[in-house]
Amino acid sequence: MEFATPFEITKEFVLKLEKAAQSHEDRFIIESLRGVEPADISVVLEELDGEDSKYILMLLDHDVAGEILAQLDEDVMLPFVAEFSPKELAPIVQDMQSDDAVDLLLEISNHMRDEVIAHINDKEAQMNILDLLRYDEDTAGGLMAKELIKANYKWDIVRTIEEIRRQAEDVEKIYSVYVVDDFDRLLGRVSLKEMILAKDHTKVGDIFEQEVNTISTDSSQEEVAEIMQRYDLEALPVVNARGRLVGRITIDDVVDVITEAAEDERNLMAGISEDVEEDDTIWKLSRSRLPWLIIGMGGGMLAAKFIASFEDDLAIIPVLAAFIPLITATGGNVGLQSSSLVVQSLANPLAIRESLAVRLLKVFGVALLNGLVLNLIVFGINMAMGQSMALSLVVAIALYTVVMLSSILGTMTPWVLDKMGVNPAMASGPFITIANDLLGLTVYFTVAHLLLL
Amino acid sequence: MEFATPFEITKEFVLKLEKAAQSHEDRFIIESLRGVEPADISVVLEELDGEDSKYILMLLDHDVAGEILAQLDEDVMLPFVAEFSPKELAPIVQDMQSDDAVDLLLEISNHMRDEVIAHINDKEAQMNILDLLRYDEDTAGGLMAKELIKANYKWDIVRTIEEIRRQAEDVEKIYSVYVVDDFDRLLGRVSLKEMILAKDHTKVGDIFEQEVNTISTDSSQEEVAEIMQRYDLEALPVVNARGRLVGRITIDDVVDVITEAAEDERNLMAGISEDVEEDDTIWKLSRSRLPWLIIGMGGGMLAAKFIASFEDDLAIIPVLAAFIPLITATGGNVGLQSSSLVVQSLANPLAIRESLAVRLLKVFGVALLNGLVLNLIVFGINMAMGQSMALSLVVAIALYTVVMLSSILGTMTPWVLDKMGVNPAMASGPFITIANDLLGLTVYFTVAHLLLL
């Protein structure tokens, strides 16, 4: 046997394929891609330009082409699909899983979308797509696919297997047969394992499992991820407000949701404002970073203006300047630690929570403790290094205040952002750094001015 | 029907159960937990102390108790299990899935582990556990379970279904039947869907799929995650060096790997050194933060010593101090952005990569471009605010240099850490901030000293 994993995608292979597409060597292309998984082909095609990749896609079967399109990175989908006419795209979209088809259609213009849908011949596929387009992308309805196997509770195993056979091509992965009543209301499920072990004339109504995890169409994708992860589910049936079975979410889509959420969060924490990767163009990389750099610089200029207003104090005690980085860095670190923990806890919507009062009290406790330890160390070092008692005290008092305030700021910010409907991870980014810098400097110079001058 | 999702876990429910455990109300406990998913019970038990949760666990069936233990957070496993004697724990461990059993056994002392294993009566379960303990936790071998369904290629469907029936209790989720030769070498797989659609006397050898994704026992868990995610797999068979089928990894375990990796990374980026959650004790929260705060403070004190050595310069031009936060913050932001992108790209072990030279050249390009934009803005504002031409120039030159150096430092650090076998996300944490602060200050004061004095 041949083991297909992992298919080695090399630069050379990509170049060969590019050349073959340009010189229309159809036979070579088809031979080279035989047996290669669609996911691997999509990685290769992402390296080619739109024209070449379209040429290759058009040589493949519609369902393979559809799987390849489904695996593309969202941000390359548009240039990719732009080469196609609606008439060329429609038969490929028609053969895609309904959720993937909709993800693709949401990337293109309204006009093109309508045209593609109008060109889809299979009425069922068309209806499925139109139905799914109604749901918000970030909800269970936006994640689900229409493809699933359902059986009326009155059916026996033989009849149900017939249904599986009829749908075998459409529903790639089955896992369970969902059991419904005459009104399509979900009653429960029979796993494929039980299907295999049951007798031919057993009624599914007699063997189905009643306690089934479900989710409603308007639940958030975070809830979907949390439930599937907590209960180790490979598929989750979606019901509408009346309990009717309307779709199914599979774990592969949820894994993508989890991965993307983690990436978004890292980008926010790192101050990168677009979904970029290392192999994007210099221009795109630059553009994704400038917004936060400029905002950060704005913060720096504000700080400069603020410090400059203490120019007279600095002229008398120039060594005051020495502790600026200590104050700002500590405030930043404390704020980041605090916010990060709140972001983590907000990301888990089903957890048992302590009340806000208890949590703030705890934040306060941790800050008191950590502030004390840091202070003793700094005060000790300063005295040992021969700084004056007064300056050592100023630094210690300012540092303690900054640790307390930054803890509270770091805890409240993600919480407030979340209430406002903004991704709370935003709080862990440069935002908290700037706020903490300004806060720290204000405290430090105010204390210094009051105690030293 | 009752919908089991999401089971509402309330503080009240937890308190009631705690009281029931303490007053030994066995009937109430069993009634309350009937039909509750093990994953939910484990969330409840995490809120109780070891004695109460042990009391509740001992009332439940061994296999349910095992599923509950398997769902516990790793960091509460030890106090949880400490209440049990080896003899009490063994029958529960025996009924767990082999991978979960090993995860639990790895949390307890060597001595206790040996005792528990010795008390396991089921010889097959004991062998499975001993076999899995040989593998490194972070490899495919450490992730896999021994439970799977395999069929000899000569078997027919009827014989294979018999095998499924025989194993039905041990293998909770089946997905596929793996096809092996007489030496247990993996030949391919038959999905359950195909099993259902095939005729009774078809030989599995005639219908199995040959191209199957597999992984070897010593592959890293990152590779496992990448392959299962790329090919949308719900299970991945694991083979040893001779191609023999030795285990199976299911997607639920990989989802946990992905989630934990994302959490570890966030903690590293935020400078939190332990796996903590918001509801941990003040002492644990404090301890997890102090290491980085103290290191950060060390950096701040070094910076203080460095700046103090320019005390004479500062006495002449006190406004020099004003731009310290601008320089350090910009350096920090640029460094963080650069490192974060490299960390992201290192996390994907199967991607096509540009050569290091091309990547560094690009980093350089982005830095040149962003440095230019930032510089024009800062220089403009400074001139507009009436700063001297000389000081404005010093700030601009220092800023440009810092942007360039921080980009390179931010790009190289995660790469070097990765080569050294350290989690590269470490580079995105306070580490890069400290390095950039010191770097920025050195550049700034050196330029100022050379040009202004």
Side-chain angles (χ1 to χ4, degrees):
Chain A
M1 75 176 286
E2 283 169 72
F3 287 106
T5 306
F7 175 73
E8 194 78 54
I9 305 165
T10 59
K11 277 265 166 201
E12 280 156 2
F13 184 72
V14 173
L15 288 175
K16 265 194 206 157
L17 216 59
E18 185 171 37
K19 230 185 99 204
Q22 281 159 3
S23 50
H24 294 200
E25 296 168 50
D26 299 1
R27 187 111 149 256
F28 174 82
I29 295 172
I30 292 169
E31 280 303 317
S32 314
L33 296 179
R34 191 187 303 283
V36 180
E37 298 234 16
D40 291 324
I41 301 180
S42 87
V43 174
V44 173
L45 295 195
E46 281 180 18
E47 302 286 313
L48 305 183
D49 69 14
E51 209 178 316
D52 294 340
S53 42
K54 180 189 165 186
Y55 188 84
I56 293 171
L57 276 184
M58 297 297 276
L59 289 176
L60 304 172
D61 290 341
H62 286 156
D63 58 332
V64 176
E67 280 186 64
I68 294 171
L69 284 180
Q71 298 277 354
L72 282 179
D73 254 14
E74 256 178 46
D75 52 337
V76 298
M77 195 85 91
L78 189 57
F80 220 94
V81 170
E83 297 286 327
F84 287 78
S85 73
K87 216 171 164 176
E88 287 168 329
L89 201 53
I92 299 179
V93 170
Q94 170 174 313
D95 279 2
M96 291 171 78
Q97 295 279 307
S98 55
D99 56 337
D100 295 330
V102 168
D103 288 344
L104 184 151
L105 290 172
L106 286 174
E107 293 295 321
I108 60 183
S109 68
N110 282 345
H111 177 71
M112 172 101 170
R113 184 185 313 149
D114 293 343
E115 293 256 315
V116 171
I117 295 174
H119 278 95
I120 290 178
N121 293 322
D122 180 338
K123 287 300 149 202
E124 199 187 336
Q126 200 181 38
M127 290 264 293
N128 282 344
I129 287 172
L130 287 172
D131 182 46
L132 289 184
L133 277 171
R134 294 188 299 123
Y135 299 101
D136 190 338
E137 257 195 286
D138 298 334
T139 64
L143 267 181
M144 72 185 183
K146 301 297 288 183
E147 289 82 5
L148 52 80
I149 306 283
K150 62 186 174 193
N152 189 291
Y153 70 103
K154 291 178 239 165
W155 292 3
D156 63 11
I157 296 292
V158 174
R159 172 93 166 76
T160 308
I161 290 179
E162 263 168 45
E163 174 67 14
I164 295 178
R165 181 163 286 123
R166 202 178 64 78
Q167 299 263 3
E169 239 180 75
D170 291 337
V171 190
E172 202 194 334
K173 293 182 171 179
I174 298 186
Y175 308 119
S176 297
V177 172
Y178 297 111
V179 181
V180 293
D181 65 13
D182 296 339
F183 306 98
D184 248 5
R185 283 184 301 232
L186 182 64
L187 300 178
R189 72 175 193 112
V190 181
S191 72
L192 281 203
K193 180 169 93 177
E194 289 152 47
M195 286 281 304
I196 286 180
L197 300 181
K199 298 238 156 52
D200 280 357
H201 297 289
T202 311
K203 287 223 166 14
V204 292
D206 293 334
I207 58 165
F208 75 91
E209 204 179 311
Q210 287 201 324
E211 303 229 335
V212 171
N213 293 289
T214 63
I215 198 144
S216 70
T217 50
D218 56 353
S219 301
S220 71
Q221 56 180 14
E222 289 76 22
E223 278 175 272
V224 173
E226 169 67 19
I227 286 174
M228 294 190 76
Q229 190 167 3
R230 182 186 291 184
Y231 302 119
D232 292 345
L233 307 176
E234 60 280 305
L236 181 61
V238 184
V239 294
N240 69 10
R242 283 182 230 158
R244 279 192 52 199
L245 177 64
V246 292
R248 180 186 72 151
I249 298 170
T250 47
I251 185 69
D252 50 323
D253 293 321
V254 171
V255 170
D256 293 343
V257 166
I258 294 174
T259 314
E260 274 165 34
E263 259 178 40
D264 286 352
E265 201 186 294
R266 180 186 23 221
N267 283 346
L268 276 173
M269 283 180 79
I272 297 175
S273 56
E274 279 181 78
D275 181 18
V276 288
E277 273 155 46
E278 226 196 349
D279 57 358
D280 283 325
T281 61
I282 291 188
W283 173 237
K284 188 170 175 197
L285 286 169
S286 168
R287 202 181 49 193
S288 71
R289 298 179 185 198
L290 269 177
W292 271 119
L293 289 181
I294 291 176
I295 293 173
M297 223 184 47
M301 291 307 283
L302 273 180
K305 210 164 157 46
F306 179 78
I307 296 174
S309 71
F310 287 88
E311 201 173 345
D312 299 339
D313 295 2
L314 279 163
I316 304 171
I317 317 174
V319 79
L320 258 188
F323 296 96
I324 293 176
L326 174 71
I327 298 286
T328 57
T330 306
N333 287 342
V334 168
L336 185 58
Q337 289 179 335
S338 307
S339 68
S340 164
L341 219 59
V342 179
V343 171
Q344 175 183 317
S345 123
L346 285 172
N348 182 349
L350 300 183
I352 305 183
R353 268 194 222 310
E354 288 161 335
S355 72
L356 188 65
V358 171
R359 285 149 76 200
L360 277 178
L361 215 67
K362 242 163 135 176
V363 167
F364 221 69
V366 174
L368 272 174
L369 201 60
N370 286 354
L372 188 69
V373 175
L374 293 184
N375 253 349
L376 288 177
I377 299 178
V378 163
F379 190 76
I381 297 180
N382 267 337
M383 292 305 284
M385 271 167 56
Q387 296 290 4
S388 73
M389 178 61 136
L391 183 62
S392 301
L393 257 182
V394 165
V395 172
I397 292 172
L399 198 68
Y400 214 134
T401 317
V402 164
V403 169
M404 300 300 296
L405 292 178
S406 296
S407 293
I408 293 167
L409 190 68
T411 305
M412 297 302 292
T413 314
W415 194 81
V416 170
L417 289 179
D418 190 54
K419 292 266 164 229
M420 287 165 54
V422 178
N423 186 339
M426 177 79 95
S428 304
F431 186 73
I432 207 103
T433 317
I434 296 170
N436 276 312
D437 277 7
L438 293 174
L439 190 71
L441 291 170
T442 312
V443 171
Y444 177 52
F445 278 99
T446 310
V447 173
H449 191 77
L450 292 176
L451 292 193
L452 292 182
L453 294 145
Chain B
M1 78 176 284
E2 284 170 70
F3 287 105
T5 307
F7 176 73
E8 196 78 55
I9 304 165
T10 59
K11 277 264 166 200
E12 280 156 1
F13 184 71
V14 173
L15 288 176
K16 263 194 206 156
L17 216 58
E18 185 171 36
K19 227 185 100 204
Q22 282 158 3
S23 51
H24 294 199
E25 296 167 49
D26 298 2
R27 189 116 144 251
F28 174 82
I29 294 172
I30 293 169
E31 281 303 317
S32 315
L33 295 180
R34 191 187 304 284
V36 180
E37 298 234 18
D40 291 326
I41 301 180
S42 88
V43 174
V44 172
L45 296 195
E46 281 179 19
E47 303 286 314
L48 306 183
D49 70 13
E51 208 177 317
D52 294 339
S53 42
K54 179 188 165 186
Y55 188 83
I56 293 170
L57 276 184
M58 297 297 276
L59 290 176
L60 304 172
D61 290 341
H62 286 156
D63 58 332
V64 177
E67 279 187 64
I68 294 170
L69 285 181
Q71 298 277 354
L72 283 179
D73 254 14
E74 256 179 46
D75 53 334
V76 299
M77 195 84 94
L78 190 57
F80 221 92
V81 170
E83 297 286 327
F84 287 79
S85 72
K87 216 172 165 176
E88 288 168 327
L89 201 52
I92 299 178
V93 170
Q94 170 174 312
D95 278 1
M96 292 171 78
Q97 295 279 307
S98 55
D99 55 338
D100 296 330
V102 168
D103 288 345
L104 184 150
L105 290 172
L106 286 174
E107 294 295 321
I108 60 182
S109 68
N110 283 344
H111 176 70
M112 171 102 170
R113 184 185 313 149
D114 293 344
E115 293 255 316
V116 171
I117 296 174
H119 278 95
I120 290 178
N121 293 322
D122 179 338
K123 287 301 147 202
E124 199 188 336
Q126 200 181 40
M127 289 266 290
N128 282 344
I129 287 171
L130 287 172
D131 182 46
L132 288 183
L133 278 171
R134 294 187 301 123
Y135 299 101
D136 190 339
E137 256 194 287
D138 298 334
T139 64
L143 267 180
M144 72 185 184
K146 300 298 288 182
E147 289 81 7
L148 52 81
I149 306 282
K150 62 186 172 193
N152 190 290
Y153 69 105
K154 291 178 242 166
W155 293 2
D156 63 11
I157 297 292
V158 174
R159 172 91 167 77
T160 307
I161 290 178
E162 263 168 45
E163 174 68 14
I164 294 178
R165 179 163 289 125
R166 201 178 64 79
Q167 299 263 4
E169 239 181 74
D170 291 337
V171 190
E172 202 193 334
K173 293 182 171 179
I174 298 187
Y175 308 119
S176 298
V177 172
Y178 297 110
V179 182
V180 294
D181 65 12
D182 296 340
F183 305 98
D184 249 6
R185 283 184 301 229
L186 181 65
L187 300 177
R189 70 175 195 113
V190 181
S191 74
L192 281 203
K193 181 169 91 175
E194 289 152 51
M195 287 281 306
I196 287 179
L197 300 181
K199 297 236 156 56
D200 280 357
H201 297 289
T202 311
K203 287 222 161 25
V204 292
D206 293 334
I207 57 165
F208 75 92
E209 206 179 310
Q210 288 200 322
E211 303 228 335
V212 171
N213 293 290
T214 63
I215 199 145
S216 70
T217 49
D218 56 353
S219 302
S220 71
Q221 57 180 13
E222 289 76 22
E223 278 175 89
V224 172
E226 169 68 18
I227 286 173
M228 294 191 76
Q229 191 166 3
R230 182 186 293 184
Y231 302 120
D232 292 344
L233 307 176
E234 60 281 305
L236 180 61
V238 184
V239 293
N240 70 9
R242 284 182 229 158
R244 279 191 52 198
L245 177 65
V246 292
R248 181 185 71 151
I249 298 170
T250 48
I251 185 69
D252 50 322
D253 293 321
V254 171
V255 170
D256 293 342
V257 166
I258 294 174
T259 314
E260 275 166 33
E263 259 179 39
D264 285 351
E265 201 186 294
R266 179 186 25 221
N267 282 346
L268 276 174
M269 284 180 78
I272 296 174
S273 57
E274 278 182 80
D275 181 18
V276 288
E277 272 154 47
E278 225 195 348
D279 57 359
D280 283 325
T281 61
I282 291 187
W283 174 237
K284 189 172 174 195
L285 286 169
S286 167
R287 201 180 49 190
S288 71
R289 298 178 185 198
L290 270 177
W292 272 118
L293 290 181
I294 292 176
I295 293 172
M297 223 185 45
M301 291 308 282
L302 272 181
K305 206 163 162 47
F306 179 77
I307 297 175
S309 72
F310 287 88
E311 200 173 345
D312 298 341
D313 295 1
L314 279 161
I316 303 171
I317 317 173
V319 79
L320 258 189
F323 296 97
I324 292 176
L326 174 70
I327 298 285
T328 57
T330 306
N333 287 342
V334 169
L336 185 58
Q337 290 179 336
S338 307
S339 67
S340 163
L341 219 59
V342 179
V343 171
Q344 175 182 318
S345 125
L346 285 171
N348 181 348
L350 300 183
I352 306 185
R353 271 195 218 311
E354 288 161 335
S355 71
L356 188 65
V358 172
R359 286 149 74 198
L360 278 178
L361 215 67
K362 244 162 132 178
V363 167
F364 220 69
V366 173
L368 273 174
L369 201 61
N370 286 355
L372 188 69
V373 175
L374 293 184
N375 252 347
L376 287 177
I377 300 178
V378 163
F379 190 76
I381 296 181
N382 267 337
M383 292 304 284
M385 271 168 57
Q387 296 289 3
S388 73
M389 177 62 137
L391 183 62
S392 302
L393 258 181
V394 165
V395 172
I397 292 172
L399 198 69
Y400 214 133
T401 316
V402 165
V403 170
M404 299 301 296
L405 291 178
S406 296
S407 293
I408 294 167
L409 191 69
T411 306
M412 297 301 292
T413 313
W415 194 81
V416 170
L417 289 179
D418 190 54
K419 291 268 164 222
M420 287 166 53
V422 179
N423 186 340
M426 177 79 94
S428 303
F431 185 72
I432 206 103
T433 318
I434 296 170
N436 276 311
D437 277 7
L438 293 174
L439 189 72
L441 291 171
T442 312
V443 171
Y444 177 52
F445 278 98
T446 310
V447 172
H449 190 76
L450 291 177
L451 292 193
L452 292 182
L453 294 145

